[in-house]
Amino acid sequence: AVIRKQGNKTLTKTFKTRSNAKAWASRIEGDRELQLAMGSKAAGMSFKTLSGLYRAWWRAQNRKDMGVPAKIRFWDEKLGERMVLDITSDDIRECLNDYSVGRKPATVNRMRSQVSAVFNFAIKEKGYKIQNPVKSVTSRPENNQIERYLSDDERKRLLTACEASQWPKLHLLVHMGLSTGARLGELLKLNWADIDLEARTATLSDTKNGSTRILCLPHALVQEMRQWQEIGTRIFPGKFRYHWEKALVRADITNFRFHDLRHSCASYLVKSGCGLYAASKILGHKSIVTTQRYAHLDIEDNMKLADRVLDNMNG
């Protein structure tokens, strides 16, 4: 069966019988023609037009994920002139296969999620009677179990190197990352107006999960922050990347990203006896399933507790 429409990709599929081929072609064409006949708001709309509406809506929500425009540009290049009603799961799958070359599964999954968000916007926000073709495209398996943590010696070396940095606030930034488990983007967006040193809290109003979160600031961190306190300004202005990488070299630490400070914070919490549920709240995980990647870290403590409480049950 072959379906050709001017300006659109040719659709083909092979069947054992002519009747099955004709039935498939009729169903594919029929669904689209039915929507056109009923005057669907998405009828005749290109993907690029829809993605433009999505971007305008996204900005109106005051969302600031800087990765969104780049992801939308990718899909505009791939599907821009295609009619929304003609885009299939196979089209999405083919685009993702091209994109996956040289990239990690998690990166490909984020690109998949972005185009799915555009179709969901059309359905839920605009009320268009269309299907989301991404639903039939499965996510790629990700390996989130391998995490990098700082050893006690590495932590001391890193903080010492940060103290010697030419950027005077590097130590404070790293200290906050280790002490709060906040993401780099969240820390860089903080203003002094978000900080209450008396209550020892920092309010994150623009988080990855889209919800407000309160960071708890340990006493030692508050003491360091008092030395820098200003009014209303951004806590960490300017670029830090060069100084961060230089500190890693000076501390002789390899294979380590700033985000791994978050993993290190999580490991400190779990290994010190903090339950996974409490740790998930501190780290701002939307689901405790995410926190469970650290469960193996408290096995030794759980074993000691089980020995102490349950060993004498049969005595």
Side-chain angles (χ1 to χ4, degrees):
V2 180
I3 300 176
R4 295 188 181 94
K5 287 188 179 292
Q6 186 175 1
N8 294 305
K9 179 180 177 182
T10 298
L11 302 179
T12 63
K13 194 170 182 179
T14 302
F15 297 87
K16 291 183 178 180
T17 65
R18 182 182 182 87
S19 60
N20 286 344
K22 292 179 67 175
W24 175 81
S26 297
R27 187 175 72 254
I28 296 297
E29 290 186 313
D31 287 349
R32 184 178 187 280
E33 297 302 331
L34 178 61
Q35 293 201 47
L36 289 172
M38 294 179 66
S40 169
K41 293 180 181 179
M45 178 180 289
S46 69
F47 180 85
K48 196 168 187 177
T49 299
L50 177 60
S51 70
L53 295 174
Y54 171 81
R55 279 180 290 187
W57 172 80
W58 180 269
R59 288 192 296 268
Q61 306 301 307
N62 293 317
R63 300 182 179 181
K64 301 176 182 178
D65 186 346
M66 299 306 293
V68 168
K71 293 185 181 76
I72 293 297
R73 282 195 297 272
F74 168 82
W75 288 110
D76 279 349
E77 290 172 3
K78 291 288 187 178
L79 305 173
E81 302 307 319
R82 297 286 305 282
M83 296 297 104
V84 172
L85 296 182
D86 292 332
I87 297 173
T88 67
S89 299
D90 286 340
D91 295 328
I92 302 297
R93 196 174 291 108
E94 182 180 328
C95 292
L96 290 175
N97 286 339
D98 292 342
Y99 180 76
S100 68
V101 178
R103 292 185 170 91
K104 295 180 179 179
T107 304
V108 179
N109 287 340
R110 285 195 290 273
M111 187 61 79
R112 173 191 174 279
S113 296
Q114 183 59 78
V115 71
S116 183
V118 174
F119 283 102
N120 284 334
F121 158 78
I123 297 168
K124 297 177 182 179
E125 301 295 332
K126 302 298 291 183
Y128 297 163
K129 303 300 181 182
I130 64 173
Q131 300 294 321
N132 183 348
V134 187
K135 283 187 175 182
S136 300
V137 181
T138 57
S139 298
R140 305 192 176 206
E142 299 180 24
N143 184 0
N144 292 323
Q145 302 307 313
I146 300 176
E147 310 292 358
R148 174 72 161 93
Y149 312 112
L150 284 174
S151 66
D152 290 341
D153 184 57
E154 285 179 323
R155 184 182 71 252
K156 293 174 184 177
R157 297 203 313 266
L158 178 58
L159 289 173
T160 298
C162 290
E163 285 181 337
S165 173
Q166 293 179 341
W167 188 46
K169 285 190 175 180
L170 183 61
H171 186 277
L172 177 60
L173 179 61
V174 172
H175 191 182
M176 287 193 75
L178 280 170
S179 300
T180 67
R183 302 175 179 89
L184 175 60
E186 295 169 343
L187 294 175
L188 294 180
K189 293 173 185 175
L190 276 175
N191 295 313
W192 284 107
D194 301 320
I195 307 298
D196 186 337
L197 292 181
E198 296 303 319
R200 295 192 293 118
T201 61
T203 302
L204 300 175
S205 56
D206 187 12
T207 68
K208 178 181 178 181
N209 293 330
S211 58
T212 299
R213 187 163 100 253
I214 305 297
L215 299 180
C216 300
L217 309 178
H219 288 288
L221 178 58
V222 169
Q223 187 174 1
E224 182 176 1
M225 294 183 74
R226 289 189 187 279
Q227 302 173 25
W228 297 99
Q229 188 175 12
E230 301 174 45
I231 298 176
T233 58
R234 189 65 62 91
I235 298 179
F236 301 109
K239 299 180 179 179
F240 85 101
R241 184 67 60 183
Y242 167 79
H243 302 286
W244 161 252
E245 292 177 353
K246 193 171 182 179
L248 289 176
V249 172
R250 178 175 293 184
D252 192 24
I253 295 175
T254 58
N255 189 32
F256 193 82
R257 310 160 300 165
F258 193 96
H259 190 76
D260 293 325
L261 295 176
R262 179 171 168 83
H263 298 318
S264 297
C265 176
S267 72
Y268 303 151
L269 289 170
V270 175
K271 289 162 71 174
S272 67
C274 177
L276 291 180
Y277 179 78
S280 72
K281 294 300 181 184
I282 293 173
L283 295 169
H285 288 157
K286 200 166 186 178
S287 169
I288 196 172
V289 173
T290 306
T291 321
Q292 286 174 343
R293 73 178 73 173
Y294 307 110
H296 66 283
L297 296 174
D298 67 346
I299 289 178
E300 184 177 345
D301 289 334
N302 288 344
M303 186 66 73
K304 291 178 180 178
L305 178 62
D307 288 344
R308 178 169 58 85
V309 175
L310 304 175
D311 254 355
N312 297 322
M313 289 285 289
N314 297 322

